[in-house]
Amino acid sequence: EVVTRANKPNIVKLQKDLYSFIVLDLETTGLSAASEGITQVSALKYVDNIKVAQFNKYVNPEHEIPKKVQFLTRITPEMVVNEPTFGEIIPELHEFIAGLPIIGHNVNFDINFITTHGYTDQQIFIEDTITIARKKLPELENYKLETLKNHYGITNQSHNSLDDCETTAFIYQQMRDGSTEKIIASDLVESTESSDKLTGLRFCITGQFMDMTRSEIKFLIEQNGGRVTSAVSGLTDYLVDGEQVYEGLSDGVHSSAELKAQEFIDKGGKIKIIGLDELNQLVA
């Protein structure tokens, strides 16, 4: 169904504390609702401040998924090619939301996507955690979800819409209830196995990885005694090399770190270029 101006829902911004609500997040092939598709739809339902249900669907976007978006969201064309389209899951999503207000981080983005792609209702009530954070946490440098995660000591992954729903729900509840103090994620360090197997070794990371984010790789190295630097030098022992997916590479193929590492190798330097599997072998 094509959503026209006539049957587009009335979007109502709420400014009150909510205890029964939906948290919604999407993954998409790009930023334009008019020209891009949806690859994942996730939602959590809270009734009387208790999570009572979860909605999580991968979606065939009927669009190409750019390589850099695949690495960002960890969603590949193979994962969604046999999944239903967004239009096919609208009835189930509509039943799940059931008229409850929708909370999201930059919620207008998600609402614009679902309504452009056929979701409609007479009224949709929304609440944006960015708007609340600007009022409750004026000292933050920005209001990206990653920044709020850091403030509240949240350590789950980003750019998976179900994880982002969990994150957004927690942040909303904290801010709504007046909990604005910074939380240190010390429990993550205590609960993660560490060793000294990489002590004395310097690493640099380049490219993108499907199995782990670069920040997770950095954490893995540091938890095992290694040091991560932002650039390759004569002191670098290993360049952990992923796939180069961004435009603007100096020769169109290799990152500056890859070129620098190869230059040191050609001159007999100690640096080795390894993949994630080889890094895991070093740690093991």
Side-chain angles (χ1 to χ4, degrees), residues 27-240:
E27 298 301 342
T28 66
T29 62
L31 299 178
S32 168
S35 59
E36 300 288 352
I38 298 168
T39 56
Q40 187 183 10
V41 180
S42 301
L44 302 175
K45 181 181 290 186
Y46 285 77
V47 175
D48 296 330
N49 214 38
I50 297 170
K51 184 170 70 174
V52 297
Q54 170 181 302
F55 182 97
N56 187 43
K57 298 279 185 186
Y58 286 101
V59 177
N60 184 339
E62 303 180 285
H63 284 75
E64 180 186 350
I65 308 175
K67 202 73 172 176
K68 63 182 179 183
V69 175
Q70 292 180 40
F71 279 93
L72 183 69
T73 64
R74 306 290 191 268
I75 297 172
T76 64
E78 294 75 24
M79 289 171 62
V80 295
V81 65
N82 294 319
E83 297 297 331
T85 64
F86 180 72
E88 290 170 326
I89 69 165
I90 284 175
E92 194 177 347
L93 180 63
H94 200 277
E95 185 179 342
F96 184 86
I97 292 173
L100 283 169
I102 296 172
I103 293 171
H105 197 72
N106 189 21
V107 69
N108 287 328
F109 175 87
D110 304 285
I111 297 300
N112 187 34
F113 252 94
I114 66 172
T115 56
T116 298
H117 286 260
Y119 185 96
T120 190
D121 208 336
Q122 286 188 324
Q123 288 194 121
I124 297 177
F125 300 95
I126 62 169
E127 183 81 277
D128 196 335
T129 47
I130 290 181
T131 304
I132 301 168
R134 286 192 175 119
K135 293 175 183 173
K136 301 263 188 174
L137 301 164
E139 74 280 6
L140 293 187
E141 58 183 323
N142 62 58
Y143 296 96
K144 295 176 182 176
L145 195 59
E146 203 65 38
T147 304
L148 287 166
K149 280 176 63 175
N150 181 57
H151 181 80
Y152 281 114
I154 300 168
T155 55
N156 67 352
Q157 292 189 16
S158 294
H159 298 298
N160 173 285
S161 59
L162 186 58
D163 286 333
D164 285 347
C165 280
E166 297 279 5
T167 298
T168 300
F170 180 80
I171 288 169
Y172 175 73
Q173 290 169 316
Q174 294 296 305
M175 294 191 299
R176 179 200 63 200
D177 297 343
S179 301
T180 57
E181 294 298 311
K182 184 173 174 64
I183 298 171
I184 306 299
S186 56
D187 57 327
L188 176 69
V189 177
E190 292 166 4
S191 64
T192 304
E193 286 188 23
S194 61
S195 76
D196 57 1
K197 291 182 179 177
L198 305 182
T199 298
L201 298 176
R202 289 190 183 215
F203 294 79
C204 184
I205 306 166
T206 184
Q208 299 297 314
F209 304 81
M210 197 58 78
D211 296 328
M212 297 176 77
T213 65
R214 283 169 60 153
S215 60
E216 288 167 341
I217 295 169
K218 181 175 186 286
F219 184 78
L220 173 68
I221 291 168
E222 291 174 345
Q223 276 299 102
N224 288 278
R227 179 178 172 187
V228 179
T229 60
S230 58
V232 168
S233 74
L235 298 174
T236 307
D237 295 285
Y238 294 99
L239 175 65
V240 185

Side-chain angles (χ1 to χ4, degrees), residues 14-34:
L14 297 175
Q15 291 185 322
K16 62 178 184 177
D17 293 345
L18 301 172
Y19 295 89
S20 295
F21 52 85
I22 300 291
V23 180
L24 177 72
D25 192 72
L26 311 178
E27 298 301 342
T28 66
T29 62
L31 299 178
S32 168

Side-chain angles (χ1 to χ4, degrees), residues 258-273:
E258 287 176 322
L259 294 172
K260 195 73 176 173
Q262 192 58 52
E263 190 181 314
F264 281 121
I265 290 169
D266 292 343
K267 292 177 180 176
K270 65 175 181 175
I271 189 170
K272 292 180 181 177
I273 300 175

